[in-house]
Structures are given as C-alpha cells and as structure tokens.
Amino acid sequence: MTGDSDETAGEADAFVFFGASGDLAHKMIFPALHRMVQRGTLHVPVIGVASSGWTLSQLRDRARDSIATAGAGTNDGGALDRLLSLMAYVDGDYGDPATFTELRGVLGDARRPAHYLAVPPALFSTVVEGLATAGLTHDARVIIEKPFGRDLASARDLNRVLRSAFPEAAIFRIDHYLGKEEIMNLLYFRFANSFLEPIWNRNYVASVQITLAEQFGVQGRGAFYETAGCLRDVVENHLFQIVALLAMEPPPYQGMGAVQAEKFNVFKAMRPLSADDVVRGQFAGYRDEPGVAADSDVETFCALRLFIDSWRWAGVPWYLRSGKCLPETAAEVLVELQPPPQPLFADATSADGRANTLRFRLSPNPVIALAARVKRAGEAFIGDQRELSLLNAQPDEEQPYERLLGDALAGDGALFTREDAVEAAWAVVDSVLERHHPALPYQPGSWGPAEADALVAPNGRWHNPLPEPAPPL
Ligand code: BG6
C-alpha cells in the first residue's frame, strides 16, 4: 500500500524526544532508535528532553544501558556509537518557556522536527503549548502515545489541543499494535486473497472471538492502571484496531487513506455498548499492588460482546477478551463459521468442533490456521477437526516502534490512528466507562470470572489460546 497525498511531505530533520528519561524510553524507544541506526534509517539528530536534572552524558549512559538490557545488545558494529553521536539533551520543566527556547537553540538549522511525546497524557497539552509558543510547530510534526484521552470528551479535548498547533496530517497517534507484522498481515491476508471474501460475512461467519491474554500482572504500574483499567488500556484501542481490520470493507483504491476511511466506518457502525455487554473482573491480589486503592473496582479483566450494525456483520457477535494474570501470554483471533446445515454423519451432533474455524495466532508466534473436519480411517463416518496451518514467523522483522517511529520521521501516516477514528472508538465504550457492573474477583492463573462464559454461551464457549508448542529439538 502506498501513502496518500494528504500526508506531510518529506523526512523530518530532527527527532525531539520528550520523556527521554522515562520508562518507555528505556524499555522500547532507545532499542528502536538503535535498530533504526543499524538499518541505516535514522541519521537525524536525536534530541532528548526531560526534567530530570540530567546531562547529555547521563542520557547517553541511559541509552547504553537500555540497549544492553532491553535491546539487541551493544556488540553492533558501531551502531550504538553512531546513535550516541546523534544525541543532544535539553533539561528543563515542560511548563517553563525557557526549556523550549533552549530546545530551539539546540535544533539549530532543523526546519522539520518531529516532536515525540513519550510523556504522561496529563502533560500533552503543556508540551504542545510550549512548542507552539516557542514557534516550534511550523512544518513540524507531533507523535503521541496512547491513551488518546480517557473518554469521548477528553479525547475531543486532546484533539482540539493538538489541532490548535498542528494540521491533522502532521499528527501521528501511535497504537503500537498497528506496527506489528502480524496485525499488518490481517489486512494483507484479507485483501491479497480472494477465497475469503465470499464467506467473510454474516451468511457464513457465526461469531468472532479475540483474546489478548497476559500471564503477568500490572508489573508495578498499579497507579497507572487505576486510572485506566483493561477496557481503556487495551480493549478500546488494540483490540478495536484488530476488529476494524477484520471487519472493514475492502478499500476501494490503493492507498492507506482508503484503509483509514474504512476502519473509521467500522467504528461508526459498532453498536454502543451497554452494561450487560461487558463482564469486568479483577484478579485476587490486585488491591495489594502499590498505588492501588484498597477498595478498587478497576478491572484487570474485561470481556465484551460487540455488534457491528452493517450489512456485512449484522447479527454476528464479536467477543473480545483481555486480562492480566491469565494462564497464557498470547493473542489470538478465532473466526467460527456456521456449521453445515444438515448433520449427515454420526459425529455431527457433538457440540465441539463441528464448525470450521479460521484462527489467527497473533502472538507469541504468529500462525494462520484453517480448521476443517477429516474422516478417520475405518468403517464409521466419524472424523476429527484438523488444522491446515501457515506458519508466519519471520526472522529479523521490524519491531513496532522501529517501524512506527521510522514512518513518522518519513512522514507516512498510514499506520497511525486518525482523529475521527479515535473519537468514533471512544463513542462505542463511552456509555460503559462509568456505568457498569462491579468488577468480579478471579484467581490469578484462571481465565477470568465464570460470568464471562455466560456472555459467550449463545455461541458455545471461549476458545482459550493453547500454550506454545515446545520448539523442535
Ligand atoms: C500496552 C498496555 O498498551 O499494551 C499494556 O498498556 C499491555 O498493559 C500491552 O500489556 C500489550 O502489548 P503487547 O505488544 O505486549 O501485546
């Protein structure tokens, strides 16, 4: 797919990195910048900004440590040294105009900087206003991290702040799921093949399940999680993006602008959720986490039933589920087709495994598998459900941040979330953010509260992603 003409033209000539001393920087961003230098896709100045009282040498130490521990290591043919030599540092409070004046000085001749805001959302508007006042938004672009607001009203406010300083084409909203190979492959697989389209609709699809399961808990992010919860943290964004790619109409022309428009249409066609569409859970022990209220009702598990009121999907339930402290770390989509209309064989009455399914294992190791029944050898006409599977693991694939920061620097907005799509997605969940049933307790290591089973019962049961097979010896 190619980009569209409404994208900001040209390469950025500096990468300004607010929040350079933070966690995200250490876990994800330095390793991504390092790989970009290794691949030869990053060669502009990298200006870290933070309010930590650091010096450039401390920022470089931090980058070195990040790449050694969270990245590919430092035995890299000189890429780390090249990255360190591209780095500059500005220290200062984001609310202080002097910070931005200094940044302007460090930017020197740069005319098209990309400002990356790896800072808590509460600081987005302070930084944007600081940039605007210092005259650093002209011909510039801004890259921001989710969450894009915490409900429809705050998402609109954030969009207003961003749009007061940047045109929409210069705003890059990162949902890192869109930079994952296996998520991009959903789009490719659907529209690079023709066999799927005739059955990809309400006439053949009985239901769709999407599970994003995590074995780990909130990992010290209790205070953040208290402000978010599972629905806001991963469902409304990451899982909704997966739904949009699976449910969208074929883009009518080549170009990512067409994909963005069709995804937006999916969000618009989603029926707003009601409290009974959502089961919320909280793992036992969550309230003992640092930063978590002793009487917290925040959900660490969320299952929901969603309908897309379009011609293609009318009446087809989409079941989405995610949670912390579940038995596996895996993400999987299961599309269940209608069973054959007539039960001809003796085994057709068993509830399980009668329908064909298409399974997209998104992580840890991507697989696309079509399950169909085949006869067992012998006199009886009975069979088993077996999978035809395409293994899709690819060595040396770009990591999401590498891909997305590279695209943002290049001015290619294809894999970013558009303003209207952000608001349309919030509109679906807005009604249940405050009005919902209480979070039900579940044991760590279980698949969440039993009530989630009742949600899916009209279509059978949840398909729990299986553990990864052991690697071959
Ligand atoms: C983040 C959430 O956006 O996505 C985390 O804040 C979650 O809570 C993570 O664990 C999942 O991303 P991935 O790429 O590990 O599946």
Side-chain angles (χ1 to χ4, degrees):
M1 285 259 170
T2 53
D4 286 322
S5 54
D6 60 348
E7 286 150 10
T8 318
E11 285 274 336
D13 54 7
F15 180 68
V16 181
F17 177 10
F18 290 88
S21 62
D23 269 0
L24 181 67
H26 190 266
K27 273 199 216 138
M28 300 283 184
I29 307 309
F30 289 123
L33 297 174
H34 177 235
R35 279 190 298 266
M36 288 161 72
V37 171
Q38 267 181 317
R39 288 183 200 269
T41 56
L42 177 69
H43 31 73
V44 297
V46 173
I47 304 166
V49 187
S51 55
S52 300
W54 284 9
T55 60
L56 174 57
S57 125
Q58 278 167 297
L59 184 72
R60 286 182 168 146
D61 287 347
R62 178 82 166 165
R64 205 177 278 114
D65 182 68
S66 152
I67 290 157
T69 54
T74 54
N75 186 8
D76 63 359
L80 174 63
D81 288 341
R82 290 200 296 284
L83 173 62
L84 297 181
S85 73
L86 290 172
M87 284 168 65
Y89 180 64
V90 173
D91 192 83
D93 195 289
Y94 300 146
D96 182 355
T99 308
F100 296 88
T101 310
E102 189 185 337
L103 173 60
R104 197 171 51 214
V106 174
L107 275 167
D109 290 338
R111 288 291 165 266
R112 292 184 312 280
H115 302 294
Y116 174 43
L117 276 50
V119 297
L123 293 173
F124 285 166
S125 53
T126 312
V127 175
V128 170
E129 278 156 24
L131 288 169
T133 310
L136 293 173
T137 53
H138 184 67
D139 273 347
R141 60 196 67 148
V142 66
I143 308 165
I144 63 162
E145 281 289 336
K146 83 166 209 0
F148 313 125
R150 55 186 323 280
D151 53 21
L152 180 56
S154 55
R156 285 183 173 146
D157 287 346
L158 173 61
N159 280 333
R160 253 192 302 276
V161 168
L162 293 169
R163 291 302 303 277
S164 68
F166 297 91
E168 176 62 18
I171 302 170
F172 294 75
R173 297 176 189 82
I174 290 194
D175 180 319
H176 78 280
Y177 265 52
L178 293 177
K180 290 182 182 239
E181 278 296 333
E182 46 283 4
I183 307 280
M184 290 190 263
N185 194 35
L186 294 176
L187 179 69
Y188 184 85
F189 186 78
R190 271 199 67 197
F191 298 119
N193 296 304
S194 58
F195 74 93
L196 218 50
E197 180 56 16
I199 58 169
W200 206 247
N201 54 51
R202 62 191 301 273
N203 300 324
Y204 288 89
V205 175
S207 70
V208 183
Q209 292 189 10
I210 306 178
T211 298
L212 166 58
E214 295 178 325
Q215 238 173 356
F216 47 87
V218 290
Q219 298 183 305
R221 296 160 77 220
F224 157 74
Y225 215 77
E226 282 288 277
T227 67
C230 182
L231 179 61
R232 285 187 174 95
D233 187 37
V234 295
V235 177
E236 182 271 345
N237 35 58
H238 303 332
L239 295 193
F240 271 28
Q241 290 293 337
I242 295 173
V243 173
L245 291 169
L246 290 168
M248 64 189 266
E249 294 302 314
Y253 58 91
Q254 228 186 55
M256 276 290 182
V259 175
Q260 304 256 18
E262 295 303 341
K263 280 171 52 188
F264 168 71
N265 288 338
V266 174
F267 296 131
K268 286 298 276 186
M270 285 179 178
R271 193 184 301 168
L273 295 171
S274 70
D276 290 344
D277 294 322
V278 184
V279 173
R280 301 164 68 250
Q282 187 187 81
F283 68 79
Y286 172 71
R287 293 177 183 181
D288 303 328
E289 295 277 340
V292 171
D295 61 350
S296 173
D297 179 50
V298 167
E299 80 284 359
T300 60
F301 171 97
C302 178
L304 57 88
R305 175 184 48 214
L306 182 72
F307 288 96
I308 301 169
D309 292 328
S310 65
W311 271 49
R312 186 184 288 269
W313 295 115
V316 177
W318 292 67
Y319 298 109
L320 276 50
R321 175 176 66 152
S322 181
K324 305 281 186 196
C325 291
L326 299 188
E328 298 295 331
T329 295
E332 197 161 279
V333 175
L334 195 99
V335 180
E336 187 161 290
L337 302 184
Q338 302 284 3
Q342 285 277 25
L344 289 182
F345 304 111
D347 59 353
T349 46
S350 83
D352 263 2
R354 268 207 310 134
N356 300 131
T357 60
L358 186 62
R359 184 168 69 91
F360 297 91
R361 173 78 155 207
L362 303 174
S363 71
N365 289 316
V367 175
I368 300 178
L370 176 68
R373 294 194 70 81
V374 285
K375 185 182 169 302
R376 263 186 231 164
E379 258 178 49
F381 278 85
I382 54 173
D384 299 297
Q385 189 90 338
R386 304 264 288 278
E387 281 191 333
L388 294 159
S389 91
L390 291 167
L391 282 168
N392 202 40
Q394 299 180 31
D396 196 32
E397 61 190 36
E398 272 184 316
Q399 297 304 306
Y401 274 101
E402 198 183 336
R403 167 75 193 235
L404 295 172
L405 294 178
D407 281 5
L409 283 172
D412 182 349
L415 297 178
F416 298 83
T417 311
R418 235 169 48 177
E419 173 182 33
D420 54 1
V422 167
E423 293 183 11
W426 277 118
V428 179
V429 300
D430 209 48
S431 49
V432 294
L433 290 172
E434 303 303 331
R435 282 188 306 277
H436 47 229
H437 299 300
L440 303 160
Y442 65 96
Q443 285 308 310
S446 73
W447 282 102
E451 284 75 356
D453 298 343
L455 198 65
V456 82
N459 290 84
R461 57 181 181 83
W462 288 103
H463 294 268
N464 298 328
L466 295 172
E468 288 288 301
L473 291 174

